[in-house]
Structure formats: C-alpha cells, structure tokens
C-alpha cells in the first residue's frame, strides 16, 4: 500500500509563508519565486537524498517527517506555552462570565486568537508531492500556506487595538461609556476583526497554487512592482497602523487619567475614587506593556520583510539564521500576554490561584474592568 522513497525536506516549512511560499519548486531560481515572503524556510527540493525519509502513498501524496531544527524546537515550545497560558486566561474569564464587561470580553477574544495561533503553530508533517485534485488545491491554499495561522495573528493584532480604543473611551468618556460600548458593539468588533483578518490574507488564495507539472505547492509569480505594492500595504496594515493606533490611544488614555487624578486631588474626593483611578491605572500600565511587547516581537521581522520587498536586502536573507530568529521572536508574542498578566496584575494571579485551590470563593467582580463600567 505504501512505497517508501528517500527524500529531504527541511521542516522549517512549517513556519509558514504569509506573503509567498515556503517550498521552492525544483529548478526555479530564488529571484523568480521570491513573491512577497513573510516567513519562509530554506530551500529543499532538488537536494532530496540526504536528511529525512519520505512516504509516498498510492493516492499521489508524498509526506516528509518532521526534522527538529533549533527553530522548530523553540516554535513547539512557544506553541505549548501559548496553548496553556491562553487556555488559563479563557477559563478564568469563562468562570466570571456573569460579571463580564467589555474589557474582559475583548481580553478573552485576544486570548482565543492567540490560542488558535498557538495551535496552528505546532509543526506538522508536510506534503512534498500533492495530487492534482480539489483536495490537493485546498491543501496548498489553506494548509501548506498556514493561512489560518496568519488569520489568527491578524485577529489578535486588531483585537489588541480594539482594547486600546475601548480603554480610552472608558477613561475619557465614563458617563457615556455604557451607551457607546455595548454588548452588541463588542461582538461586532470581534467578528469584524476576524473578517478583516481573512480579507488581509485572502491574497493567499491567489498566490498559493498547485503546480500540476511538478505536483508541488508553489507560488504564483508576480512582478516586482506588485511585490513592492502589496508588501507596503501589508506592512502598514499588519504593523504600522495597529501599533500607531494602540500607542496613540494609550497616550490619550494616560493623559485623561492624569487629568482626572488632578481633579480628584484638588477637590478632595473620597478614597473610593482614588482607588478606582489606581485600579484603572494598573490595567493601563499592563496594557501598555502588552502593546510594547507586541511591537518588540513583531517589529523586527515586519521591518526586515518590508525592506526585503523593496529590494533593499538580498534574497539570501529569507533563508538566513537572522530570519529564523526573528520568526521565533514574532511567534513568541502569542504566549507573552498570559505571562504579562501573571507578573503585572495581582487580580489575575489570584484568579489563577483559585483555579487550583480547594477553597474556591465566588468571584465578586470582573477581572479587567471596573464595576462602574458596562456589564456584558
């Protein structure tokens, strides 16, 4: 039933490719296939006799075993950490769902997007030979391209941006917050973030094809001008705009919070008001760190690929150790937020402790929101 042949295929392909493709077709030069690669792996086809065994089925599929390179080991560790951490966030928020408010719901949506990204990040065996069938086409466009991984990253990025906007409204317009940020608004924003993620990555359906001559998943070649255009648009949509909006909202929120604290001090307001501002300030500081970590994780790789798409750095960068290091750094953002919550937010640590405690008390407040904010 199975015929075994020896071949090699670097499992770094599992890192995925958002802008192009990970597996070059034999005989093609690097310059001819460097479409808009975002995360790629070293070329392998044409050198198929040195590393790992490959199993070919009678139906035309040929599969390669995963070879655990250093970046795949780190990727796997990151994925497991992200699955555990984000699952804990979701469980804690689910337990407090009756007290859930807008921030808690959005943080839960952020954790769900990062959880899915962590799941899709797990290295899997790759198909080297794909049958020219509908199933083969679906595999190349959806599975081999890691499309759902990129959609999850997009949803995570824009959900984080939505949290920054929601915090600004809560602090700057507290009396209108309940009318502005309703349950319907939050649900629409979460759904819109996923739709936007699919729209941004939809070009993969066009650029990822099944080469019927070689039975390889391959890129659809585009001109250098198109590469520069789409590379610029993706750099703006994936990194610049979300980072700019998030940082602007954080700065405006901090300014509004500072003005309110001055009013309370001058007016001799009560301690409950001061505690209320202190609680909001803790959440604001934590979200600032979350946004900063997002920029630190994604910024280097996004900037390098933007420069690459402009043709300012050589094609060899795509398969360099520097590229793989930046890939692992980018993926690390999916597991970072639960760690930040644990270190910076005492309420989250207490909630996690209650999960593993024999004495489970009933939660009396939302986790990331104040009692004065709208209940969802």
């Amino acid at each position: 039933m199975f015929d075994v042949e020896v071949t090699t295929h670097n499992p770094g392909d599992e890192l995925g490719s958002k802008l192009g493709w990970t597996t070059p077709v034999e005989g093609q030069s690097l310059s001819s296939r460097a479409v808009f690669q975002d995360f790629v792996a070293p070329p392998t086809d044409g050198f198929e006799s040195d590393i790992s065994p490959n199993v070919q089925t009678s139906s035309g599929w040929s599969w390669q075993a995963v070879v655990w390179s250093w970046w795949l080991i780190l990727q796997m560790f990151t994925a497991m950490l992200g699955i555990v951490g984000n699952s804990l966030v979701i469980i804690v928020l689910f337990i407090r769902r009756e007290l859930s408010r807008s921030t808690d719901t959005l943080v839960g949506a952020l954790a769900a997007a990062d959880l899915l990204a962590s799941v899709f990040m797990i290295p899997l065996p790759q198909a080297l030979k794909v049958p020219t069938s509908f199933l083969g086409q679906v595999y190349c466009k959806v599975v081999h391209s890691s499309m759902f991984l990129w959609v999850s990253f997009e949803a995570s990025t824009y959900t984080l941006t939505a949290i920054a906007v929601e915090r600004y409204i809560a602090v700057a317009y507290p009396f209108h917050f309940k009318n502005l940020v309703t349950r319907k608004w939050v649900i629409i924003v979460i759904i819109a973030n996923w739709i936007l993620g699919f729209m941004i990555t939809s070009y993969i359906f066009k650029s990822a094809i099944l080469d019927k001559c070689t039975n390889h998943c391959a890129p659809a070649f585009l001109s250098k001008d198109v590469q520069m255009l789409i590379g610029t648009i993706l750099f703006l949509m994936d990194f610049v705009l979300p980072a700019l909006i998030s940082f602007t909202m954080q700065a405006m929120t901090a300014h509004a919070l500072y003005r309110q604290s001055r009013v309370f001090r001058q007016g001799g307001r009560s301690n409950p008001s001061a505690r209320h501002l202190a609680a909001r300030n803790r959440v604001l500081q934590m979200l600032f760190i979350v946004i900063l970590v997002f920029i630190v994780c994604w910024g280097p790789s996004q900037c390098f690929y933007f420069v690459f798409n402009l043709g300012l750095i050589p094609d060899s960068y795509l398969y360099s150790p520097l590229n793989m290091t930046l890939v692992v750094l980018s993926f690390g953002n999916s597991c970072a937020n639960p760690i930040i919550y644990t270190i910076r937010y005492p309420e989250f640590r207490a909630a996690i402790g209650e999960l593993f405690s024999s004495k489970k008390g009933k939660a009396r407040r939302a986790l990331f929101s104040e009692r004065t904010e709208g209940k969802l």
Side-chain angles (χ1 to χ4, degrees):
M1 181 175 180
F2 294 93
D3 297 323
V4 178
E5 63 180 17
V6 177
T7 182
T8 64
H9 183 81
N10 195 306
D13 282 346
E14 184 60 30
L15 292 174
S17 173
K18 185 180 177 184
L19 298 179
W21 209 249
T22 59
T23 306
V25 178
E26 184 175 357
Q28 291 177 342
S29 66
L30 179 63
S31 60
S32 69
R33 60 177 174 74
V35 191
F36 325 113
Q37 304 213 359
D38 206 3
F39 296 128
V40 295
T44 56
D45 293 355
F47 303 91
E48 299 185 343
S49 59
D50 298 327
I51 303 179
S52 62
N54 159 71
V55 176
Q56 183 170 13
T57 69
S58 58
S59 60
W61 292 89
S62 178
W63 300 90
Q64 66 117 67
V66 176
V67 178
W68 293 96
S69 57
W70 65 265
W71 62 81
L72 274 190
I73 294 174
L74 289 178
Q75 180 182 332
M76 186 65 178
F77 175 78
T78 300
M80 293 296 99
L81 195 60
I83 290 173
V84 173
N86 289 294
S87 296
L88 288 174
V89 174
I90 294 172
I91 292 171
V92 167
L93 292 173
F94 179 78
I95 292 175
R96 299 179 182 229
R97 63 189 180 280
E98 294 182 356
L99 303 170
S100 177
R101 290 172 171 82
S102 54
T103 307
D104 299 71
T105 304
L106 289 172
V107 169
L110 177 63
D114 287 337
L115 173 61
L116 289 175
S118 299
V119 171
F120 293 128
M121 203 186 299
I122 296 175
L124 298 173
Q126 293 276 306
L128 299 181
K129 300 290 184 179
V130 182
T132 55
S133 62
F134 175 76
L135 185 60
Q137 294 280 357
V138 171
Y139 174 84
C140 287
K141 293 181 179 294
V142 176
V143 180
H144 194 75
S145 66
S146 301
M147 180 176 184
F148 288 124
L149 174 65
W150 305 121
V151 172
S152 299
F153 282 145
E154 299 285 355
S156 173
T157 298
Y158 282 97
T159 302
L160 179 60
T161 306
I163 293 174
V165 174
E166 184 266 353
R167 284 293 81 202
Y168 171 70
I169 297 174
V171 172
Y173 305 99
F175 299 109
H176 304 286
F177 181 80
K178 291 182 180 180
N179 295 326
L180 293 174
V181 183
T182 62
R183 179 180 180 85
K184 181 179 179 180
W185 181 88
V186 173
I187 293 175
I188 290 175
V189 166
I190 294 173
I191 295 175
N193 288 335
W194 283 94
I195 293 175
L196 181 61
F198 276 104
M199 291 176 62
I200 293 175
T201 57
S202 61
Y203 67 89
I204 291 178
F205 283 105
K206 185 69 175 178
S207 64
I209 64 172
L210 170 59
D211 190 327
K212 297 182 179 180
C213 296
T214 61
N215 292 93
H216 282 78
C217 294
F221 307 129
L222 301 175
S223 67
K224 186 65 178 178
D225 291 337
V226 176
Q227 175 182 350
M228 294 173 63
L229 175 62
I230 297 184
T232 302
I233 293 174
L234 290 174
F235 179 64
L236 293 174
M237 295 294 295
D238 290 348
F239 181 69
V240 176
L241 280 179
L244 183 61
I245 294 173
S246 297
F247 250 117
T248 301
M249 291 295 102
Q250 283 290 103
M252 294 172 64
T253 305
H255 180 66
L257 202 60
Y258 172 74
R259 283 178 14 186
Q260 291 177 13
S261 64
R262 290 186 59 185
V263 170
F264 284 134
R265 287 198 300 267
Q266 293 173 0
R269 297 298 181 92
S270 61
N271 288 332
S273 296
R275 289 196 299 268
H276 174 69
L277 286 177
R280 283 189 169 183
N281 190 50
R282 283 199 305 272
V283 175
L284 182 65
Q285 291 176 358
M286 182 189 67
L287 291 178
F288 174 78
I289 295 175
V290 169
I291 294 171
L292 185 62
V293 169
F294 163 77
I295 293 175
V296 170
C297 288
W298 283 100
S301 62
Q302 290 285 350
C303 291
F304 266 90
Y305 278 108
F306 174 62
V307 174
F308 169 79
N309 285 324
L310 295 181
L312 301 180
I313 57 177
D315 293 341
S316 58
Y317 165 74
L318 296 177
Y319 308 124
S320 67
L322 175 60
N323 177 35
M324 296 305 171
T325 301
L326 297 183
V327 166
V328 173
L329 177 64
S330 300
F331 285 178
N333 186 70
S334 295
C335 68
N337 292 343
I339 299 175
I340 296 172
Y341 303 155
T342 303
I343 296 174
R344 296 289 305 180
Y345 203 58
E347 288 84 349
F348 181 74
R349 291 199 300 270
I352 293 296
E354 291 176 1
L355 289 179
F356 302 98
S357 174
S358 58
K359 299 179 180 179
K360 300 182 183 297
K362 184 177 181 181
R364 297 182 178 180
R365 61 182 295 270
L367 189 58
F368 296 101
S369 305
E370 292 298 311
R371 289 190 297 270
T372 55
E373 297 171 5
K375 183 177 179 180
L376 297 180

